[in-house]
Structure formats: C-alpha cells, structure tokens
Amino acid sequence: MQWVKVLGGVVGAAALLGLGIIVGHFAIPKGADSPAPSASASQDLDLKILETVIEQLDANRIRENLRELSKEPHLATTPRDEALVQLLLQRWQDPESGLDSARTTEYEVLLSFPSGEQPNRVAVVNSTGAILFSCRHSEENLTGEQGGPNVVPPYAAYAPPGTPQGPLVYANQGSEEDFKELQNKGVKLQDSIVLTRYGGVGRGAKAVNAAKYGVAGVLVYTDPKDINDGKSLPNETFPHSWCLPPSGVERGSYFEYFGDPLTPYLPATPSSFRLNSDNASGFPPIPIQPIGFEDAQVLLCNLGGNLAPADWQGGLGCDYNLGPGFRSNGIFPEDGQVNVSVHNRLELRNSSNVLGIIRGAVEPDRYVLYGNHRDSWVHGAVDPSTGTAVLLELSRVLGTLLKKGTWRPRRSIVFASWGAEEFGLIGSTEFTEEFFRKLQERAVAYINVDISVFANASLRVQGTPPIQSVVFSAAKQISAPGSSGLSIYDNWIRYYNRSSSVYGLVPSVGTLGAGSDYAPFIHFLGISSMDIAYTYDRSKTSARIYPTYHTAFDTFDYVDKFLDPGFSSHQAVARTAGSVLLRLSDSLFLPLNVSDYSETLRSFLQAAEDLRVLLEQHSISLGPLVTAVERFEGAATVFNQRIATLREGTPDPLQVRMINDQLMLLERTFLNSQAFPEERYYSHVLWAPRTGSVATFPGLSNAYSQAKNTGHEPAAWAEVQRQLSIVVAALEGAAATLRPVADL
Amino acid sequence: MQWVKVLGGVVGAAALLGLGIIVGHFAIPKGADSPAPSASASQDLDLKILETVIEQLDANRIRENLRELSKEPHLATTPRDEALVQLLLQRWQDPESGLDSARTTEYEVLLSFPSGEQPNRVAVVNSTGAILFSCRHSEENLTGEQGGPNVVPPYAAYAPPGTPQGPLVYANQGSEEDFKELQNKGVKLQDSIVLTRYGGVGRGAKAVNAAKYGVAGVLVYTDPKDINDGKSLPNETFPHSWCLPPSGVERGSYFEYFGDPLTPYLPATPSSFRLNSDNASGFPPIPIQPIGFEDAQVLLCNLGGNLAPADWQGGLGCDYNLGPGFRSNGIFPEDGQVNVSVHNRLELRNSSNVLGIIRGAVEPDRYVLYGNHRDSWVHGAVDPSTGTAVLLELSRVLGTLLKKGTWRPRRSIVFASWGAEEFGLIGSTEFTEEFFRKLQERAVAYINVDISVFANASLRVQGTPPIQSVVFSAAKQISAPGSSGLSIYDNWIRYYNRSSSVYGLVPSVGTLGAGSDYAPFIHFLGISSMDIAYTYDRSKTSARIYPTYHTAFDTFDYVDKFLDPGFSSHQAVARTAGSVLLRLSDSLFLPLNVSDYSETLRSFLQAAEDLRVLLEQHSISLGPLVTAVERFEGAATVFNQRIATLREGTPDPLQVRMINDQLMLLERTFLNSQAFPEERYYSHVLWAPRTGSVATFPGLSNAYSQAKNTGHEPAAWAEVQRQLSIVVAALEGAAATLRPVADL
C-alpha cells in the first residue's frame, strides 16, 4: 500500500525507490522474519533435543578449544586477539556446524598499555639515587610459556605515568580504613610510596584512597596467604601445584567505571564524541604498579617502623612492619626510598565483538543472549578461555542441529564474544549502548560464562531472582562430575546453600556485581542476567580467586593438570548453561519466576526495619515500602496462578506472548535513570552498588548511611526520603506490570 | 507448577497462599486476560463499525455535555471539579453506555491560589502612598455568569507573594530582546514595575527575564491588537461578538516546567518524597499579576518617556511610551508609581485523574490512550470542556456498542480525564510517572483532544510524523461541516498545507510543544502522540488564540453563539478523533507510517547544512549524520515493503505482533535520558525544545547556537559534537529497530 503512494509521489520518490531496491537486495537476509517451514506458534521445549544437546557436549572438544584459544597471549586488540575474532567467525560461519549468521562490530576505545621502550620499574634507591634493588620486569619463564614478546609485562592499566619516589609504608589492602589507621598511628603518608596487597577493595580504589593522604605512588602485590593458602616456595607452586609462583603478578584494569572511558552512554564509533582524556574520570590519580610476592617479600620483610596489626600480617615468612622506611638491621639503608617508574600510555584501539545469531522460528524478535569476553591479559587459559571453550562447544552442538534441520529455537539466540573486557567490560558495554532500545525491548535474558571453571567442586551461579528456577531445573537434570552419582543441583547444595522461606534449603544464587560482562546488561539495561561457573570447595582453600589469575602462569597446562583434568567440570558448566539457554530459548512460557523476587524484597524490607527508629525520628515512614512489597508479592502470586491456569488449557499464541512480555519486562521496571546520577550506568534500584552497611535497598542503605554520618543535615535526610520513594515507585510499577494487562 | 512448589514449601507458604486467595478473589476482574468469546487473532478494523460510530456521534449530545460541564466554574481540586470526576465515573460506569471499568487515581500536588482574604491588587499611588487608581479585582459580570464566589479572581499561578512598587515601564512582550532594547535605550529597569503584553514568550519567562534586570514586579495584559483584531469597545466585544471584553483577564500557570513542582520524576503519592517548596525550581522569581486591557489602557496611555518602537505599539488607541513613570500631561503625577500586591499561596491539594478502560479482545496489553484535562480556570466552556464534551460523546457511542456486544476493540482503549492541567499538565504527568514502564512497553499512541474547537474553519492537527497517515485516512473519510461538500481533509488542505517531497501537497501537521497533556507522553515516554482540534481561518483573524481564553467570559453561551453554533465543528472533531482512535485500536497492522519520519529527518539534515562550515572549522563532521539519516530511510523503506508483503498473504498472529511492536516502539528509540540533563522530562532527541535559530535537531541547534555565541570555547564545541553523536546514535538505533528482527 505504502509502495503505491511512494511511486505516486514526486521529488525524492525515485531516489527512495532506488535506495529501497539496493537495501532490499543487500540488506534483507533470505527468509528474514518469514516463518520457518515447520514453525508452530505452540512450539515448546523439546526434552529430547535438550537431552541430545547435553549428551553431545564433549569434554575433549572443550579441551581442544581451550588449547587453541590459549596457545598464545591474546591481549585485547593485539594481532592474536584479532586472529581469535577470525577463528570465532569461521566457527560460526561453518556450513556444517555454524549459526545462521555471524558478524563483528568494532569500536574505537581507549586502552592503556605499558610503554614498549621504557619498562615500568620499581626500585630501592639510596640517598644518592643509586639503585640497590630492582623488582622483576617480567615473570619467571618457568615452563617456556611465560616469555616472549607477546607477554605483556605486569602493569596497572590506566595508571597514570609518573616517577614518584619516597619512603615505603605498608598499607595493608589500601582501604579507607587502612589509611585512617595508619594516620591514627602517626605513620607519615605524605609523599610516601605505599605497598598494598590485593583484596578488600577494588584495584583502583587503592590509589584513590592513597592519594587522599598525599601518597605519591602505590605498589600492589598478591600475598601468598590470600591466594596460595600460605604456600610461597618455588617447589610448592606452579608447575608443582596450582599455586601462584613467587614471580607471578596480577595485572588488571584500575579504571573505576566500566565501558569505554571516553564515550560514556554513547557507542564508541570512530565518529563519536569523545571526552578529552584529561577530562575523563575514573582513572587512578597517582602512579600504581603491581609486583610479585617474591619482590614484595624483599621490600616488606625489610620495612621498619612499628609492627603492623595482626590482621595485616601475611604469608611472606616475616613480621610485616608499617614503615615508613626500612629497618636498621635489614638489607637496605634506613633512608632508602622506593622509586616507582610508570610509563603507561593511553591508546585509542579498535576492539571487536563477534556476534553469532540463530534466528528464532516463532519469535525471532525475542533474544536470549549468551556471551563471554575473548581478550585475556596473557594466555588467559582460565580467564576467559575456559568460558570461550565452552561457548564454542555449545555453539557447535547447537549449530550442528541447526544445519541438519533437526532443530531451530522458538526465540533467537545471540552468541557474543566480547572484546576488551579486561580493561573494563568495554566491548559488552559499547554493545549495550549501541543497541540500547532494541535490547531493552527484546532481550529475554543474558547468560554470561566468563571463567567457566575456577575449581572443580561445585556449580556457582550469580543472577537476579527470576533466573533461579530455570537454573535449578537445569542443574537437577545433569549429573555432577565425579563418581558421587549426585546431580549438579544436589552437589551444589552441599557447598553453597541457604534456607528459603518458600522452598526450604536450596542452593544459594549470588548477586551480580560488576565483575564481568553481565554488568551493563543488568545494571544499565535491566535484563535478567546470570553468570555460571564451577568453583571451589571453600573448606579446602581460602584462595581469593584461582591463584594464577591475570598472570603469565594462567596457561593451558595449568587448567589441564590442576584446575580440571579431564575437563569434566567444563562439561558440567557447558551442560548447565546449555540447558538454561535452551530452556530460555525454547520454552513456550519463559522459565523465569517473578515470584522469586519476593524473597529478595522481603529480606531487604527486613533489613530496613533496622533503620526504622532513626527514620521515624526524621519523619520518614517505612509504611509505603511495606505496602509496596506486599502489593508486589500479591501481584506476583496472582500472576503465577494465571500462568498455571493457562498451562492447563491451550492458550493462544498472543496470550502466551503477553504473559512472556510481562515476564521479560519485569526486570526493566526496576530501572530508574534518575536514581543514582553519580553512578555511571547503574540504574537498577535493587542491584546498584551498596556502600551502606545495612543490607537493604542500595539507594536507601547508602543515603541512610550518609545521613547518619552527617547527623541532622536536612538535605541528607531528604535524600533518604527520595531514595525510599524511588524504591516504592519501582515496586509499585513492578506490581502494576504483573497485574492483568487491561487493569491499569 | 509454581503452586505445587509453594504448597510444598515451609514458612511463609501458608501466608502466601492466603494472600493469593484474597488477591485472587478481589483483584482479578472476571474474564481478565481471557480471550473474548468472538476474539480472533486476525481481527481487523471493521469499516461498518467505523461508519456506525461516525454516524452516531451526535452534535446535540456534545452540546448538552458542554452545557453540563461548563455550567459552573471547575478550577482544579474545587468541589465542582470533584463533582465532574463523579460525572465522568458515572458515565463510564453506566450499564448501557459505559466502559468495561473506570476508576480514579489521586495525587497530592502543589497548586497556587490567590488568597481568599487579601485580594491581589494593582494600584497607582502618589509619592505619599495615596491610591490614585486601582485595577479591577475581578472581571465585569456582563451576562450574570462572570460573578460569584467560584470565579477565581485573575492571578498568575505560582507567582510569589510580594508588594513591589516602582515607576512603570512598558516592556512589550517581556522577551530577552525586549529588555535588552530597553537597556540599550537607557530606560532604567532597576526597581521598576514593567507592563508586558501576553505573547512572544511563555508567561513565566516574562518574570524570569525581567528579574535579570532588577525589575521588582511585572504586569501582564492582553492587547486588543493581539486577540481582538484591534476591537476593544464594549459593544464590539462579548456578548456582542466573540471578542474579549475590556475587563477580561487571561489567567494561567507561570510555572516553567510541567508536572507537580515538588515531585519531579516521582508520582505525587501522599507519601512521596517532596522537595521543600523553597527548593523547588521553575517558579517566577518576582511577583507578577495579569490585568485586563481596560486597566492596561489607563496605565499605558498615561506612560511617559520615549515612544515605544512601532512593533511594540498595540490596539489601546494611544501611543505607547516606554516610561519610566507617567507623562506630564496625563491623569497621574509624573512621579506616580505602580504598586503590585500579590498574595498568592501554595497549597498541597488532592487532584484526581479519571481513567476508563475498554479491554482489548485480542491484544489487551496494547493501549490506545485518549485524553483531555477536566479542570478549567473559570467555567472553561472552550478550555477544556469542548474537548471533554467530545470525549464523553465518543465514549458513549463506543460504550454503547460495547455493552450491546456489537463490538470490542482489538487493543485496549484507555480514556483519561486529567486533573490540574492548567497548573502545568500535572495529572497527566503524574500518571506517566506512576506507570512509566508499563506505558513505555504497551502504549501504542496517545490522542489528545483538549480544546476541540478554537474556531470553525478547519481541522488542525499536531503530532509526530508516524501519525500523519492515520489522521489523513480518517480526515478523508469524513465530511467537513458546512455546505462545501468537501471532506475534512480537502477542507483542511485549503487552510494549512505544505509541499511534501514524497506526497506532493498535503495538509500540514504541526509539531508538539508542551501546550497540553500530550507533553509527558511524547517528551518523557516517547509515545507517538497527537492533538486534534478545529480552528481558525487565519485570513479572517490574527487572534493569538480564541479571545476569551482563560477568562471568565469562556462560557457555554460563548461557544453556542460564536464559536460553533450547531456544534458541527465539535462533531467533526469527534468523528476525526474517533476514527483515528478506532483505526489505532482495531487495525490488524498499526496504522503508523514510520517512513514519514524520513521527511522530518531530511528537513533537519537540510537545515544542518547551514552549520557545516563552522562545524568543519571545529573539526566536527556531518558525515555520520548523513549516513545515519540514509540508514534510517533505507530501513524504513524496507520495513514498509515487508508490511506490504505480509498484507498480501495471511500473516500469523505473532508475525503481525512483531511488526506492530516495531511500529509502536520506533518512537521510543528516539529517547535518550542523558541528552538534556537540564530539561526536566525532555528526552526525545527530535522534539526537545529548540532555542537555537536553525531548524535542525534541537540538541544540535541549541549547542551550536551556544557555541557560536561563545566564540572558540572548546567545551561549548565539545557539547555540539556530543549532541551530534546523540542524534546519530538515536537514528542508528531507530534504523536497527526497523531492520529484520533477527538481524542484530
């Protein structure tokens, strides 16, 4: 109809027609949006297909994927990272086992690298400036894999260049409290170099906190107590065990936010507006450099000053003193200083995401997203290649069924390999910025499998409450690795569990912070998200994370020998995540249980009761919050009843779609872009970062904590009331979304 | 399934069950979300039903509605306003002609009223303070309807109280340029009272601009030249013609933003966080008071100083001088001053919206909204009751078909009667805040019919481009009032037309500002919106608006005798708006043409070419914008082709739904909550307020204008680039939304 009008038009019509023909020819994929031959609107999850997928996920193929992915370092935007882009494209475009289509999207983003010409250096110098000791520039080449030009030397990405020098002080984990304690003890911090250990607070926060006290430069190391259960000797560590060798250094991003630093809220296309890097925020204010515990030991065991508190002591085999400066009977002169030379450079680089798509047969405009990053710090066998190896095996199995014509999902599946995650979730964040509305309107859920195996004891899942039920269903169906005969679910509950007021004892699903690419999906877009992995037996190790994290020792052999020999934990994650993916993409009714949010809300409400007295003193009532939680619970319960009733009948396709839209969009109702104006991207009022000590709604907790500290500052208490109103409005809006749709 | 789990649970299960039963019993409307008996997923617009509706819309019933609605003043939240709430509820709950359901939603909002005890006063005083002249406190009771306790005296809502006094200055329309000109001419503004005429800039802006020059108080009047085509004598004006009588005073809100002033972005529930009114922004900074031209004449025709410029002269029958102070040969002493006493009070009041719903048979979760405000300044026969009279007649005709079982729309229809619009679109804005996500996800379009008849010459429509086609279709089908034999469309094109590059000569559809309740729908929620009315023959009058606007003379007789005798223009609007409503609610494919956005984008792009030289001097390229517009055009063209192809076949219900979701959600893709942080609610990157002179994308135009004024300020040019990138990202996102859905 429109076509006739266009042809009947005047100026511009011919141009439009021409454009239309060109676009029509090149831009419409064959069969796009037309129904699949066998598509039926009532197409539901096929348990046989699900069984087939689970069976076909092959541990050995995952192992071979991992070998290939981790055979060379593939730092973001390096030639090997680009080679892996091609590998992914090739796999996803394979005629026998590929997907419907695959493409890359490229962004021009600001990364940070050490200088090729001037290595970063940490040295002890005497009063004449002579170098008495230098920390290693690179890790020890223990197995032949830790050397070579493609191993990036240890550095703190986004740390500014500079060559500060001063007496050394030990500052524990570099938290605000740590620096306060040093100040209270009279340790001079101004113009000092502080040595901190990883853990406690974020990487960048150590420099931010230090700078407030006039500190000139910061060192960070990994203490054997925190990562190796105390082991520190060469013969106790890799390649003799999974422990971190003395020369291992954790690299990492020290950027405070996520996404490309220069293009907040805009996709980093080449032509995009960019902040001047001098105006960009979130970089460490002072130079900072990571070192290994071998070097940290030399520095720390020779420190002078008073003995550090008991909980500041670590596993380096000596008493940790506070400094400043070196002790009199040590190997350095007392007035020896530490010189930190950082020569990092900011560079605009092109980073690619790879996207692979299986078109949904019935609802192609509903997307189940499954992703992991591709870039590593060095070989990145564990991080991220254990995840990518699983991703490739899962896409191979599904692609093969697809190409054989055996199966096509009800909804579209989007596989993603994100670029530059290690620098701050950059590829995934730019993707969410580029397709903001489209994803908000159409994305059912995001499944993240970054490091798929931290250790081989138990499943570990983080996610928002609605994904609990589908993960449980998947985990109950699959056998746990090993000879226990337990399901993944029954094994999981032995390691990580909680007592639910609704279900009794269940495995505990953790909450989502900003540790991997799920962050922009949940916090910025409000898409129900999860992160799935296999992990530790906490009774056997207190390691902060797997020991070779972000070091040159994170190699294929490390995984193959120590982390998951036989790759059965990899297979377990592939099966679990694959089952979750299929359930989300194929079930007639989306397997998200919105009622499971009620427990979260109740626990937040319960915690808020601790604030009641002081709130009431400031004329702030919790009554509306109580009512809002009750309304949500009521609406969710009735909504689930409605689904149950529909399931019993033969619901028509539009009825199912309407229910599914409510299920999909519930998470979006918790977004409020006005809630946290200072917190880049964070707009989910239930999962924004909480700095307040009370485990309630984060905005409320933070504002309360702030107001309590200020005493009776009216503006601070007004902000508490504002945050409370934001939560109430979000919960009332969520309840409204779940009510019968014609019931405004 | 969930139910079994809940019953099998532990603590809390019984409580949840009980809650579920209660909610289930009381909260689920019978038949909610179940298919209508005759519902078919392919249900399309029934042209016979459409004909029936058009025929049954009765001019005389509209007239009777208007008589009832306007028989008493119904200022927001007064008893008569509340009585009309009950009238609407009763009509919409009528068993013979009502809707499926109707309810009220109440908000506690900040309004502003003159003091009951201390009337506002404008007086001329001599140097001893003796009163020489007082302006009227109320309009002349010419027809017996302009008196009584329920006629609110003329005032400027939200003007602060105060009693400034000073020499009088004439400041034309009170624009920035007007004050600059006075300053250039050496007229002393500090501590003066300025007299301004309505028009040119917004009401509140006159006080904002004046305050910057140290002005102490502002008067505003309506010049006969601007409203009465120069007529000013009692025997030329109402009740002898439609012209404004000398004592008539335009009331109005002087609040700069819209929505409840104390609860921006939050629904104004009783428990909501409220700004302290001292901290609220957007109120006039100095006292301001409107007066009639009868009083303005006494002041202005006695002013001294130099003669005002030619285009500052008006229709009061004397030369307008600038002041300051009075002329030597006038009726006041030269040093006579004007004293303005404003005693307005801010009050928290409960204001109601009334919502009436017809449940959709096939897609109850898609809403077509149709609304108008209910509150008036005095009797409000024209504003808003001409709109409400049409609303009631349309809902009666549709309700009757519904109750008879003859018809049920495909989608849900939501009728709304908004409260407190006159104070700043408050009821509608609070509604959009309360149901933010739900409306963003489900609303197909918003139809606003506020003043339905300004005059009886021609249809006048404002809206976003996608609504053009459905309005044209409706207007072509209906006969214009009078004996011309023309359709409404053919009559319309005679009065208001433009040359379209696609269609040739077509009626021109205006753009949406913030003049009525559509503002929060389009600017805050990104819902395709329109405003429909009958209006002037501009060759016969240059009146700024209908002459008795916001005065006590806006009465039933005024409409009945002068504006629309016979109510045929009312009927024409009812038929047009009714046809648009039915087409939107009943058509299988939504009758929104996204391709019609291409013309807007082309014209914005064309205008941006004027900026090119200076942009390029600052290294800002228009290339990405050109590409983005082309991509949008291409995607829209292909998308329309796809619809045409689907129309030819028998598309399945989900295919139609997917297309309709793309149509519905396109408008949302233009929202960016980061684009205009200073502009409350405005987030539509194409329709935000434009202050720059170049008629291109508003953010770009404004930033460019600012940057040009600052010269080479890098931050200002960076903002230009940022705004350009925001537009490019929005257009690319819009194109992505229109592409085949499985084509990420």
Side-chain angles (χ1 to χ4, degrees), chain A residues 541-561:
Chain A
T541 176
S542 67
R544 193 168 54 79
I545 190 167
Y546 72 95
T548 64
Y549 174 69
H550 287 193
T551 73
F553 302 101
D554 178 351
T555 57
F556 176 76
D557 281 352
Y558 182 78
V559 178
D560 199 39
K561 287 196 187 132

Side-chain angles (χ1 to χ4, degrees), chain A residues 65 102 143 175 183 186 201 349 355 357 397 402 407 421 426 442 444 592 739:
Chain A
N65 287 340
T143 67
S175 69
Q183 193 181 39
V201 298
R349 292 281 191 96
L355 302 173
I357 293 164
V397 170
L402 184 77
W407 165 85
E421 187 262 9
I426 291 180
R442 301 181 189 163
V444 162
L592 299 170
R739 290 208 189 92

Side-chain angles (χ1 to χ4, degrees), chain B residues 262-586:
Chain B
L262 298 187
T263 60
Y265 295 104
L266 287 168
T269 57
S271 69
S272 174
F273 166 70
R274 286 186 161 68
L275 295 167
N276 186 309
S277 62
D278 299 338
N279 296 339
S281 51
F283 299 145
I286 52 176
I288 180 165
Q289 174 70 18
I291 59 176
F293 65 76
E294 173 185 338
D295 289 326
Q297 186 177 38
V298 175
L299 299 176
L300 197 43
C301 294
N302 283 289
L303 259 188
N306 293 324
L307 185 66
D311 58 344
W312 291 32
Q313 300 296 323
L316 292 177
C318 64
D319 283 340
Y320 295 9
N321 295 329
L322 296 175
F326 295 107
R327 62 186 163 91
S328 56
N329 51 351
I331 64 171
F332 300 125
E334 286 181 69
D335 65 350
Q337 295 198 336
V338 172
N339 179 294
V340 181
S341 302
V342 172
H343 303 290
N344 300 339
R345 299 195 290 218
L346 296 169
E347 289 181 37
L348 273 185
R349 293 282 190 95
N350 290 320
S351 175
S352 298
N353 293 333
V354 191
L355 303 173
I357 292 162
I358 301 179
R359 198 177 63 250
V362 184
E363 296 183 275
D365 67 339
R366 290 294 174 260
Y367 310 146
V368 183
L369 298 130
Y370 180 113
N372 178 29
H373 68 101
R374 185 184 58 255
D375 65 306
S376 59
W377 283 111
V378 191
H379 292 80
V382 182
D383 181 8
S385 304
T386 53
T388 311
V390 165
L391 169 68
L392 283 173
E393 176 59 1
L394 185 54
S395 60
R396 180 194 70 82
V397 170
L398 296 181
T400 305
L401 291 172
L402 183 76
K403 294 293 182 186
K404 277 187 184 156
T406 312
W407 165 83
R408 177 172 291 285
R410 179 180 178 86
R411 303 179 182 88
S412 293
I413 293 174
V414 180
F415 286 109
S417 168
W418 310 118
E421 186 263 9
E422 293 295 4
F423 289 82
L425 324 181
I426 292 179
S428 54
T429 302
E430 298 310 305
F431 173 78
T432 59
E433 289 170 333
E434 180 165 9
F435 298 107
F436 180 77
R437 281 285 159 197
K438 190 160 161 166
L439 293 171
Q440 271 213 333
E441 289 157 4
R442 301 180 189 163
V444 161
Y446 175 63
I447 304 167
N448 196 66
V449 180
D450 182 345
I451 298 168
S452 70
V453 180
F454 289 86
N456 53 18
S458 167
L459 192 70
R460 186 234 56 191
V461 178
Q462 300 167 331
T464 61
I467 65 94
Q468 173 180 277
S469 58
V470 63
V471 172
F472 283 3
S473 299
K476 283 176 180 169
Q477 181 200 15
I478 304 163
S479 300
S483 57
S484 69
L486 295 177
S487 69
I488 286 181
Y489 180 94
D490 288 330
N491 181 65
W492 182 16
I493 208 170
R494 290 169 53 207
Y495 291 93
Y496 298 93
N497 58 57
R498 69 181 178 96
S499 179
S500 154
S501 61
V502 180
Y503 304 110
L505 196 74
V506 289
S508 58
V509 171
T511 57
L512 294 167
S516 187
D517 292 302
Y518 48 76
F521 290 92
I522 181 62
H523 297 301
F524 182 42
L525 295 186
I527 293 167
S528 295
S529 297
M530 71 200 85
D531 187 81
I532 300 177
Y534 238 69
T535 194
Y536 318 97
D537 180 349
R538 278 281 170 218
S539 70
K540 296 206 175 133
T541 177
S542 67
R544 192 168 54 81
I545 190 169
Y546 71 95
T548 64
Y549 174 69
H550 287 194
T551 73
F553 302 101
D554 178 350
T555 57
F556 176 75
D557 281 351
Y558 182 78
V559 177
D560 199 38
K561 287 195 187 134
F562 299 109
L563 223 58
D564 189 22
F567 281 73
S568 58
S569 294
H570 281 79
Q571 188 181 40
V573 171
R575 287 172 166 176
T576 308
S579 176
V580 169
L581 175 63
L582 242 71
R583 287 165 187 273
L584 284 164
S585 66
D586 276 9

Side-chain angles (χ1 to χ4, degrees), chain A residues 221-389:
Chain A
Y221 80 102
T222 306
D223 197 284
K225 184 181 139 200
D226 299 326
I227 203 87
N228 281 352
D229 294 312
K231 298 195 181 65
S232 62
L233 303 176
N235 65 358
E236 296 175 319
T237 55
F238 182 80
H240 306 288
S241 81
W242 87 325
C243 288
L244 180 67
S247 71
V249 185
E250 178 183 323
R251 294 153 187 79
S253 173
Y254 286 66
F255 178 48
E256 188 180 338
Y257 306 117
F258 53 87
D260 172 43
L262 299 187
T263 60
Y265 296 104
L266 286 168
T269 57
S271 69
S272 175
F273 166 70
R274 286 185 162 70
L275 294 167
N276 186 309
S277 63
D278 299 338
N279 297 338
S281 51
F283 300 145
I286 53 176
I288 180 165
Q289 174 70 20
I291 60 176
F293 65 77
E294 172 184 338
D295 289 325
Q297 186 177 35
V298 175
L299 300 175
L300 197 41
C301 294
N302 284 289
L303 259 187
N306 293 321
L307 186 65
D311 58 344
W312 292 30
Q313 300 296 324
L316 292 178
C318 65
D319 283 341
Y320 295 9
N321 295 328
L322 297 175
F326 296 106
R327 61 187 164 89
S328 57
N329 51 351
I331 65 169
F332 300 126
E334 285 181 69
D335 65 350
Q337 296 198 335
V338 172
N339 180 294
V340 181
S341 301
V342 173
H343 302 289
N344 300 339
R345 298 194 290 218
L346 296 170
E347 289 181 37
L348 273 185
R349 292 281 191 96
N350 289 321
S351 175
S352 298
N353 294 332
V354 191
L355 302 173
I357 293 164
I358 301 178
R359 198 176 64 249
V362 184
E363 297 182 275
D365 67 339
R366 290 296 175 259
Y367 309 147
V368 182
L369 298 131
Y370 180 114
N372 178 30
H373 67 101
R374 185 186 58 254
D375 64 306
S376 60
W377 282 112
V378 191
H379 291 80
V382 182
D383 180 8
S385 305
T386 53
T388 311

Side-chain angles (χ1 to χ4, degrees), chain B residues 655-696:
Chain B
Q655 283 183 309
V656 176
R657 172 87 169 195
M658 284 185 267
I659 291 287
N660 284 339
D661 279 0
Q662 287 174 282
L663 286 164
M664 172 176 81
L665 295 170
L666 175 72
E667 199 83 67
R668 250 70 109 213
T669 64
F670 296 119
L671 294 189
N672 183 331
S673 63
Q674 305 290 325
F676 316 110
E678 307 298 313
E679 300 277 2
R680 190 178 294 176
Y681 300 122
Y682 287 102
S683 53
H684 197 301
V685 304
L686 303 180
W687 305 119
R690 180 167 61 78
T691 51
S693 59
V694 180
T696 185

Side-chain angles (χ1 to χ4, degrees), chain A residues 601 604-605 625 629 685-686 695-702 727 731:
Chain A
L601 300 180
F604 282 1
L605 187 60
L625 183 62
V629 170
V685 304
L686 304 179
T696 185
F697 303 92
L700 176 62
S701 180
N702 300 349
V727 171
L731 298 185

Side-chain angles (χ1 to χ4, degrees), chain A residues 26-27 29 82 84-94 98-107 267 269 351-358 367 374 413-419 430-431 434-435 438-439 442, chain B residues 631 732 735-737 739-744:
Chain A
F26 292 106
E82 276 306 305
L84 292 184
V85 167
Q86 295 308 316
L87 180 150
L88 278 145
L89 273 181
Q90 194 192 333
R91 295 277 186 104
W92 289 349
Q93 290 171 343
D94 186 283
L99 313 176
D100 285 322
S101 64
R103 60 178 281 226
T104 61
T105 61
E106 210 175 76
Y107 303 101
T269 57
S351 175
S352 298
N353 294 332
V354 191
L355 302 173
I357 293 164
I358 301 178
Y367 309 147
R374 185 186 58 254
I413 293 174
V414 180
F415 286 108
S417 168
W418 311 118
E430 298 310 306
F431 173 77
E434 178 165 9
F435 298 106
K438 189 160 162 167
L439 293 171
R442 301 181 189 163
Chain B
R631 289 212 180 117
E732 294 279 2
T737 286
R739 291 210 187 91
V741 294
D743 186 18
L744 245 188

